[in-house]
Structures are given as C-alpha cells and as structure tokens.
Amino acid sequence: MALERTLSIIKPDATRRNLTGKIAAKFEDAGLRIVASKRIQMTPAQAGVFYEVHKERPFYGELCEFMASGPVVVQVLEGEGAIAKNREVMGATNPKDAAPGTVRADFAESVGENSVHGSDAPETAAVEIAFFFSGLELVG
C-alpha cells in the first residue's frame, strides 16, 4: 500500500461534546499520523462550497447549516492506505450500521450528526486538503 494523505473533519456535534481528543486518538491508534490540524468555524457559504458535490441532494441545505453551526476540527491524516483506513475507523455513515469501536458507533448521534467526515478517494482528498490547508501547514 502507498503512503497517502486524507482529510478528516471532526464535526460540530462532536466538538460540542468535547470529543476531539477521543476521536483523534482512534485515528492515531489505527496507525494514522495527524500531519495538520486546526479548529475553525465555517460559514454557511464556506460549507456550501466544500459540499458543493451534494448541491442537488435533498440534504444539502441542512448539511451546510449543520457544518456551520459550531466549530469543526479539520485535519490531515497520513499513513499507508490512509483513505481506506480513515473510512474504516469512521465506520458506516448510519451509526446503527457502524461496526463496534468505530467513531460513528461510539459517538455519532444520527445519520446527519455523525461526528466525522473523511475523503473518499485520492482525488477528493487532494481537493479537500487544499480547501483547508496550504502546503506550509502540512508537516509530516
């Protein structure tokens, strides 16, 4: 497997409940390195641009509103097969379907407030990382 980087977002439902450290520990325990991290507050417009791929989906407006409802922690994770590993650690989108011990099984409140976001492919990861971080901020 190749060394990869992927974007991870700890969403407002999780930061509101002070779960940032517990979630980050799950990624690190799985062998992923956090090579960039910052806590930010997205505006609805910024969330709209970030999630533009979902613009035609019925949940788009609610998603953007939710992502701007409180602070998020954006991070870049690095490791062998980081994209697949991150998605494995996150668990299924619906917390009821998530495997025990995954972030969503342990912390998600619902399908919509599911605590984390992760890139789904190398091309997506590159675009998503560049949305939040400059090259100078990636220190791995």
Side-chain angles (χ1 to χ4, degrees), residues 85-109:
K85 177 61 71 177
N86 179 36
R87 296 186 72 74
E88 177 185 319
V89 173
M90 287 191 308
T93 301
N94 185 337
K96 292 177 184 174
D97 299 331
T102 61
V103 172
R104 289 177 173 150
D106 290 352
F107 304 122
E109 296 181 312

Side-chain angles (χ1 to χ4, degrees), residues 8-32:
S8 168
I9 301 176
I10 300 175
K11 294 181 178 181
D13 62 298
T15 61
R16 187 177 316 112
R17 291 178 291 139
N18 205 30
L19 297 172
T20 302
K22 290 178 182 177
I23 293 172
K26 284 187 176 282
F27 294 128
E28 291 180 324
D29 290 348
L32 295 168

Side-chain angles (χ1 to χ4, degrees), residues 7 50 76 124-135 137-138:
L7 183 80
F50 183 77
V76 178
T124 310
V127 170
E128 290 182 347
I129 290 168
F131 187 87
F132 292 107
F133 295 96
S134 74
E137 294 175 296
L138 304 174

